[in-house]
Amino acid sequence: MSREKYDNVFGLLEKHHKWFSESIPLIASENIPSPAVREAFVSDFGNRYAEGWPGERVYAGCTYIDEVELITIELAKKLFNAEFADVRPISGVCANLSVYSAFTNPNDKMIALPIPSGGHISHGKSDFSGTAGLVHGLRIDYFAFDREEMNIDVDKSKQRITKMIEEENDKPNMAMFGGSLFLFPHPMKELKDFLLDHDIFICYDSAHVSGLIAGKQFQDPLREGAQTMTLSTHKTLPGPQGGMILSWNKYADDIKKSVFPGNTSNHHLHSVAAKAIAFAEMLEFGKDYAVQTVKNAKALAESLNEKGLVVLGEKNGFTESHQVAVDTSKYGDGGYFEKELEKANLIVNRQLLPGDKKAGRDYVHPGGIRLGSSEITRLGMKESEMIEIANFISRIIIDKENIDTIKTDVIEFRKQFTKVHYAFETLTDAYKYIKIR
Ligand SMILES: *Cc1c(COP(=O)(O)O)cnc(C)c1O
């Protein structure tokens, strides 16, 4: 019985690898790491304890672990031009939570974006079980958002915050930029002086766009006013699942204490090693990768628009990031199309769009889908492939063509793209299941 389950799990893992090798992966928060990142990730580091900072560990046996972590820190600082890097947070949410604990107190107020306008659940209210509210007791209020611009409205946000301070005697303590539906750089430069004048701490959550920032193709948060920057290391940044905090030396002690012992005991040492490999590859290939990722997102958006689909952000050229947001509501809700596309091996996710809540839509049946170009870029796809992908998508959404026919075409199309690009080693197939038993 247990032997059967054991074999079954490995069988399912192999099936997953095969399925992804025959699919078009378009989830904006995902990526494919290089084989070298995977190798570091399966090392014995994954089973060890360290706790604390290199050289000040709680456990013995950290000789090589410490050396690796110091390399990871050095590469992180170089990649993002940061004075200080804490590479220990085990996820983006944990990085955010560490920043909340370091720089705010429960019951303080934080300004962020609501989810339909791109905010993340880790910036959310307690009522919605958002991390900031539920775990750290922050009260959340919102930036003003301009749907046409698909961005934070600077003047209206200033008015709102001024009203909070002057009329409600309720000054926010932190402003959180960044988000999960993130098409255009946020106007942090434009709000920085206003926020700092009111003693509002600025954090920039680059979970989605950290790979584009590392490749110098998006805004540069630390130069534009961010006092801290949090991120995930597995979205556009093609590393292992993990998080990170970047900041200035003057905030280092507060961040370090908040990460350990505040928000973790042990961190994930195999992930730290894999982060170093990913950062080294980004220093070498990151610019080319980020340039092509943004080009591909724009090409995909334009092709979908030409097919007649409603693509958000049209006024500003659809996107400046790796993301494309499509309003499918004319044809059906995003939840329905997520499933239809999946049947044809097009892996996307449904997306709440600005205005969905007012239109009575919810997370299960939102107004559209979100597409990301980072993983397909790493598989070697360029602008001409974006036209083909837009064609597959519109055959499903607009033409309602037979799904099996499209699936066969998708599998055929994928055969040209088997390796991971923008990496030191490109010998192994991207989704090959590597047996080490
Ligand atoms: C994905 C995401 C996170 C959370 O990252 P995890 O690494 O999954 O914990 C945080 N903030 C934003 C804006 C995100 O999109």
Side-chain angles (χ1 to χ4, degrees), residues 91-93 96 120 122-123 179-180 205 207-208 232 234-235 242:
S91 73
V93 167
N96 281 340
H120 187 253
S122 62
H123 310 165
S180 303
D205 180 344
H208 259 274
S232 302
H234 50 267
K235 296 189 181 179

Side-chain angles (χ1 to χ4, degrees), residues 29 90-96 118-123 177-182 205-208 230-235 241-243 323 370:
S29 56
I90 60 172
S91 73
V93 167
C94 289
N96 281 340
H120 187 253
I121 191 66
S122 62
H123 310 165
F177 290 88
S180 303
L181 174 61
F182 202 179
D205 180 344
S206 69
H208 259 274
T230 55
L231 56 113
S232 302
T233 52
H234 50 267
K235 296 189 181 179
Q241 287 264 347
Q323 294 188 3
R370 183 186 66 176

Side-chain angles (χ1 to χ4, degrees), residues 7-21 431-435 437:
D7 288 334
N8 192 19
V9 168
F10 283 115
L12 292 168
L13 288 170
E14 286 176 38
K15 278 188 186 158
H16 172 88
H17 280 262
K18 178 163 190 295
W19 184 28
F20 270 68
S21 73
Y431 302 92
K432 185 169 192 278
Y433 180 79
I434 300 161
K435 272 205 162 102
R437 281 168 291 150

Side-chain angles (χ1 to χ4, degrees), residues 99 103 201-204 222 226-230 245-247 255:
V99 167
F103 302 107
F201 192 87
I202 302 175
C203 184
Y204 182 101
L222 292 172
Q227 289 163 298
T228 57
M229 182 176 154
T230 55
I245 303 173
L246 300 166
S247 188
I255 293 169

Side-chain angles (χ1 to χ4, degrees), residues 91-126:
S91 73
V93 167
C94 289
N96 281 340
L97 193 51
S98 298
V99 167
Y100 301 151
S101 336
F103 302 107
T104 64
N105 291 310
N107 211 37
D108 280 355
K109 179 181 269 196
M110 179 169 85
I111 307 294
L113 281 172
I115 286 179
S117 305
H120 187 253
I121 191 66
S122 62
H123 310 165
K125 292 184 182 188
S126 177

